[in-house]
């Protein structure tokens, strides 16, 4: 491996480690979850649920998307799903971060990761939709499990949350029944306004 290629990989991978310090709105125990923990949990969901989907997605491709889907948050920050002001600039911030971060890698590798990130964002392939379903399910489950302080703070209603969750519900099994069960728990525990 040429020294400049080696240094590009090492630099990107060292920088990617900062995802462990990008905090999310959800809590885990007595602290906020970070984006690296989120990505691991989304990957675990994909591995666990892949055989529940028909046709079965290409799991390697799904895991590649999941591994990089939030890397842009190192620079763009995590945008809470119900932060209306943050959502207005999210795409612009994330695209700029993608350009810079993936640009650190050798061109063909950076392009491959950028393409994977864009595929996840576009939601046009079965693998991207499955990865999105796992991503949405993880965020929803994490909020229910942690007592949803972020939801309570804004008085989140089921109707408003459905705007975010409906694309995952529309995928059908296994997402729809699991999300519906989580809605029942959330309403029963007073985590969402009915």
């Amino acid at each position: 491996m040429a020294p400049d290629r080696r240094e590009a990989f090492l630099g990107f991978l060292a920088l990617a480690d900062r995802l462990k310090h990008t905090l999310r709105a959800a809590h885990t125990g007595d602290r906020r979850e970070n984006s690296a923990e989120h990505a691991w949990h989304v990957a675990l969901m994909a591995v666990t649920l892949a055989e529940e989907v028909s046709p079965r997605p290409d799991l390697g491709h799904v895991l590649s998307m999941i591994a990089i889907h939030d890397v842009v948050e190192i620079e763009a920050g995590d945008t809470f799903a119900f932060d209306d002001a943050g959502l207005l600039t999210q795409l612009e911030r994330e695209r700029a971060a993608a350009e810079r971060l993936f640009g650190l890698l050798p061109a063909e590798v950076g392009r491959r990761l950028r393409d994977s990130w864009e595929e996840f964002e576009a939601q046009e392939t079965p693998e991207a939709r499955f990865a999105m379903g796992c991503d949405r399910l993880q965020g929803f489950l994490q909020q229910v499990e942690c007592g949803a302080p972020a939801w309570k703070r804004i008085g989140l209603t089921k109707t408003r949350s459905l705007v975010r969750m409906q694309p995952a519900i529309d995928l059908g099994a296994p997402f729809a029944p699991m999300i519906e069960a989580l809605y029942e728990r959330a309403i029963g525990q007073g985590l969402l306004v009915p």
Side-chain angles (χ1 to χ4, degrees), residues 16-39:
D17 189 65
R18 289 179 31 204
L19 198 60
K20 296 174 186 173
H21 305 284
T22 302
L23 299 179
R24 295 172 49 84
H27 284 71
T28 180
D30 62 350
R31 65 175 175 78
R32 287 174 57 190
E33 175 188 43
N34 68 54
S35 289
E37 292 168 320
H38 161 73

Side-chain angles (χ1 to χ4, degrees), residues 40-63:
W40 161 80
H41 204 196
V42 174
L44 180 62
M45 288 184 175
V47 169
T48 303
L49 299 174
E51 293 186 15
E52 300 296 314
V53 177
S54 182
R56 186 180 303 168
D58 175 340
L59 190 56
H61 188 59
V62 169
L63 292 174

Side-chain angles (χ1 to χ4, degrees), residues 10 28-30 36 42 56 83 86-87 114 118 127 131 133-134 152 156 159 170 179-180:
L10 288 172
T28 180
D30 62 350
V42 174
R56 186 180 303 168
D83 173 3
L87 291 170
R114 176 76 185 252
E118 289 176 355
E127 283 75 15
C134 292
K152 289 178 180 176
L156 185 64
T159 301
D170 290 346
I179 293 167
E180 285 306 316

Side-chain angles (χ1 to χ4, degrees), residues 137 140-142 144-145 151 177-187 192:
L137 177 61
F140 199 87
L141 174 64
Q142 188 68 35
V144 172
E145 289 296 311
W151 290 354
M178 295 172 77
I179 293 167
E180 285 306 316
L182 289 171
Y183 269 117
E184 289 177 21
R185 289 185 201 172
I187 298 293
L192 282 173

